[in-house]
Amino acid sequence: MKDLAKKTPVQSWYTGKTIFVTGGSGFMGKVLLEKLLYSCSDLERIYVLMRPKRGKSPQTRIEDWLKLPVFKRIREEKPDVYKKLVPIPGDVTSDKLGISPEHERLLIETTQIVFHCAATLKLEARLKDAIEMNTIGTKRILDLCLQMKHLTALLHLSTAFCYCDKEVLTEKVHDFHHNPYDLMRTVEWMDEKALDTITPNLLTPHPNTYTYSKRLAEMLVRDTYSNLRACIVRPSIVCPANAEPVEGWVDSLNGPVGIMVAGGKGIIRSMLCNGEYNAEVIPVDIAINGLITIAYTLGQMEEMPKEIPVYNITCRETKRTTWKEVLDLGKATAYEYPFEAGVWYPDGDITMNKTYHTICVMLFHWLPAYFIDFLMFCFGQKRFMCRIQNMVSEGLSLLQFFTTRQWDFKSHQYQAIAKHLTPEDNVIFTMDVDAINTKDYLRRIILGGRQFCMKEPLSTLPKARIQLKFLYVLDKVGKAFMLYLMLWLFLTLTGLKAPVYEMLGWA
């Protein structure tokens, strides 16, 4: 990293700026805060909207963050800049964000940049919860931003998948037959049971409440655009860090990371997925660099465009990787860097044949799960495999909507940003996905999931490789036994056992 005493244009623009961030405790939020503090250290202050959690105050939670791996280089190189991180007690699901009048005045008087990242990412969330957090929460942020006296950039974090009814997903906000204001009023007065009943009809054509509520939120931001310097940012599937702040850093098993970990431990053996379709994933550090430079770009605009700027943070058309390529490279990497204590040899596959998938799930997901739980019961241990398989099944059913469709994202406005940055800024805030080696990145994902989610240190790799060899032998022996059993059963039921045995000389 170059000496920041000589600042680049992006760093100079952030100098002395006061920033307000929602969703700072999330995966992207933590990386955003770290990157701002590390690479734009001369900013004035970052206010973070935070709610007390598990009996901890917002200040205590902020202090606990510094101990996380994501803030390692801050601890080691720039510990003083962490003091610029200031919690604002509140919650986007509360009226007026639940912040005190004093804090409200502080934000109105001093804030210049807002990153609105707070959202519930649960695809299976109830409609009331998703609307309350993602849509009404956005409305509350907009109401506060409209009062800010020095606001130069508001970035609303959305999702690239919020227009799943469109064949081509361009960088614009499309109209929708549902009015977000009507939906917000509906969830306030309607009984939750009644709301759950009509949810399936309301969601069509959306697969879940997440994409639906985010689409409604985009309409709110668009409607307020004439009075705010705002834009909408849509990342695709955000995955572990490629290079910074720590290679492979991730803090949850959501999305592809969970699938890779479950597959690496032999829990997932089959998945509905079209291997020829593109895997629309983006490293979190690339996405965060995009957010930071988009805010800079917005702040540099002398005249705002007629329509609200929208940026799709997605893979370039020159850097397309299919799900099959991800699977093949991922399996090879998982064999080289195996997880500890796998339940079976990791040798799953993807298919678009629902019948074949169902058979595989019954034989290789549920049958082993019941068998392992039976053994646990016999030995007086706590049963867990059926519960895990139930969670896996629910997760796969939610994800298959995204893995069985071809997505055509256009990101011309987003890709154009790098062209207007200096070479130095393009190094510090790189958005170049083309430069990433897919195999190396998959290794970082697997090692990241291993270390940061499963808490399996690299020192255990030799033992894990021995376990993998044992599971390989067990897998082959088990399959051979099952094949023999099925063949014996077939010959017995068809009456062919005696003549076949006689022909083979086994009689």
Side-chain angles (χ1 to χ4, degrees):
M1 183 65 67
K2 71 189 288 300
D3 184 6
L4 294 185
K6 184 179 179 182
K7 293 189 283 289
T8 68
V10 172
Q11 292 171 327
S12 296
W13 185 78
Y14 275 95
T15 298
K17 292 289 193 299
T18 297
I19 303 168
F20 178 48
V21 176
T22 70
S25 61
F27 175 44
M28 291 187 69
K30 289 192 184 79
V31 180
L32 172 65
L33 295 175
E34 195 279 343
K35 181 64 175 180
L36 285 171
L37 290 172
Y38 186 80
S39 296
C40 303
S41 306
D42 289 331
L43 55 80
E44 178 66 24
R45 191 164 285 106
I46 303 178
Y47 293 114
V48 187
L49 186 69
M50 295 185 67
R51 56 185 175 185
K53 189 175 183 181
R54 292 189 292 271
K56 291 185 177 181
S57 68
Q59 184 60 46
T60 303
R61 290 180 65 193
I62 286 277
E63 293 167 0
D64 288 343
W65 284 356
L66 189 57
K67 304 171 186 176
L68 297 174
V70 66
F71 291 102
K72 180 182 177 182
R73 61 181 182 177
I74 294 287
R75 288 196 305 270
E76 295 176 350
E77 300 177 38
K78 300 181 178 184
D80 289 341
V81 302
Y82 203 69
K83 298 174 184 177
K84 297 186 179 186
L85 209 56
V86 179
I88 298 289
D91 188 345
V92 295
T93 62
S94 300
D95 187 42
K96 289 192 173 183
L97 303 176
I99 61 179
S100 68
E102 293 77 13
H103 281 141
E104 183 181 44
R105 283 195 296 272
L106 179 66
L107 292 174
I108 291 172
E109 294 290 339
T110 63
T111 302
Q112 292 150 295
I113 308 167
V114 174
F115 292 97
H116 175 41
C117 306
T120 175
L121 303 179
K122 294 180 180 178
L123 301 182
E124 75 282 7
R126 300 178 75 173
L127 182 61
K128 183 178 179 63
D129 296 334
I131 294 289
E132 180 68 36
M133 184 78 173
N134 298 343
T135 311
I136 300 178
T138 298
K139 178 65 167 61
R140 294 181 176 121
I141 291 295
L142 291 171
D143 290 342
L144 176 62
C145 288
L146 285 169
Q147 302 177 65
M148 291 179 177
K149 297 180 179 180
H150 309 288
L151 186 67
T152 57
L154 161 63
L155 275 74
H156 169 70
L157 192 66
S158 186
T159 171
F161 299 96
C162 62
Y163 292 99
C164 49
D165 54 325
K166 305 292 182 184
E167 291 186 5
V168 179
L169 296 100
T170 58
E171 292 174 300
K172 65 175 294 184
V173 178
H174 297 277
D175 288 324
F176 192 38
H177 56 274
H178 288 172
N179 186 313
Y181 301 94
D182 291 341
L183 266 296
M184 289 190 294
R185 285 191 293 267
T186 299
V187 299
E188 286 180 356
W189 65 263
M190 184 174 283
D191 175 77
E192 281 196 41
K193 194 171 181 180
L195 191 60
D196 290 341
T197 302
I198 65 172
T199 292
N201 289 331
L202 283 175
L203 292 186
T204 305
H206 289 266
N208 51 63
T209 58
Y210 172 68
T211 59
Y212 178 73
S213 58
K214 294 297 276 186
R215 182 170 185 170
L216 296 176
E218 282 199 6
M219 297 170 69
L220 294 177
V221 181
R222 179 197 62 185
D223 292 348
T224 318
Y225 172 64
S226 59
N227 298 312
L228 279 177
R229 292 180 64 88
C231 70
I232 294 170
V233 183
R234 300 180 185 142
S236 54
I237 302 173
V238 181
C239 285
N242 174 59
E244 57 177 353
V246 179
E247 285 188 1
W249 187 78
V250 64
D251 65 350
S252 75
L253 292 174
N254 292 331
V257 178
I259 293 174
M260 286 190 173
V261 171
K265 285 185 172 285
I267 296 173
I268 293 179
R269 311 283 292 179
S270 180
M271 178 179 173
L272 275 178
C273 175
N274 191 319
E276 303 305 314
Y277 289 168
N278 296 326
E280 291 292 345
V281 299
I282 198 90
V284 65
D285 46 339
I286 298 294
I288 293 306
N289 287 337
L291 283 177
I292 293 172
T293 54
I294 287 170
Y296 163 77
T297 301
L298 199 67
Q300 295 296 106
M301 292 181 181
E302 294 183 4
E303 185 177 345
M304 297 297 289
K306 183 178 179 181
E307 292 188 355
I308 184 169
V310 178
Y311 301 91
N312 288 341
I313 302 183
T314 55
C315 296
R316 299 173 192 245
E317 294 182 11
T318 54
K319 184 69 174 179
R320 299 294 191 187
T321 305
T322 66
W323 287 112
K324 186 179 186 307
E325 291 172 325
V326 171
L327 175 69
D328 292 342
L329 287 172
K331 285 168 69 172
T333 306
Y335 295 151
E336 188 176 355
Y337 304 97
F339 292 90
E340 287 187 75
V343 299
W344 204 257
Y345 186 70
D347 193 27
D349 208 347
I350 56 177
T351 180
M352 281 297 288
N353 188 315
K354 292 185 179 181
T355 302
Y356 175 73
H357 171 69
T358 302
I359 293 172
C360 288
V361 167
M362 291 172 60
L363 291 177
F364 304 124
H365 287 192
W366 287 108
L367 190 60
Y370 279 112
F371 177 69
I372 291 172
D373 274 0
F374 174 72
L375 291 179
M376 293 292 103
F377 174 76
C378 291
F379 289 104
Q381 301 297 316
K382 187 176 180 180
R383 291 167 287 179
F384 63 92
M385 273 308 300
C386 285
R387 177 172 52 84
I388 290 177
Q389 274 301 342
N390 191 53
M391 293 168 59
V392 166
S393 296
E394 290 180 0
L396 287 178
S397 65
L398 291 167
L399 284 173
Q400 72 185 35
F401 179 87
F402 303 100
T403 58
T404 57
R405 285 165 173 76
Q406 181 69 290
W407 303 94
D408 187 5
F409 297 114
K410 303 300 180 185
S411 56
H412 303 301
Q413 294 187 91
Y414 172 64
Q415 301 300 340
I417 290 176
K419 299 175 183 177
H420 296 93
L421 299 180
T422 64
E424 293 80 9
D425 274 327
N426 269 313
V427 171
I428 297 171
F429 305 100
T430 179
M431 296 179 283
D432 188 5
V433 181
D434 287 4
I436 298 175
N437 181 283
T438 303
K439 183 178 180 180
D440 289 343
Y441 180 53
L442 285 170
R443 175 181 58 82
R444 291 168 187 146
I445 290 179
I446 288 175
L447 290 179
R450 196 182 193 279
Q451 296 176 87
F452 304 121
C453 292
M454 304 309 297
K455 309 302 180 185
E456 299 176 7
L458 297 182
S459 60
T460 64
L461 277 172
K463 181 178 72 173
R465 289 178 179 130
I466 294 173
Q467 292 173 341
L468 186 68
K469 291 178 181 178
F470 171 76
L471 289 174
Y472 174 80
V473 174
L474 186 64
D475 178 67
K476 297 304 178 185
V477 171
K479 285 179 178 177
F481 177 75
M482 286 293 295
L483 184 61
Y484 169 77
L485 190 64
M486 292 171 66
L487 184 61
W488 178 85
L489 187 62
F490 172 76
L491 294 175
T492 301
L493 293 176
T494 58
L496 296 173
K497 179 181 175 183
V500 170
Y501 273 34
E502 184 177 351
M503 182 177 65
L504 296 173
W506 294 354

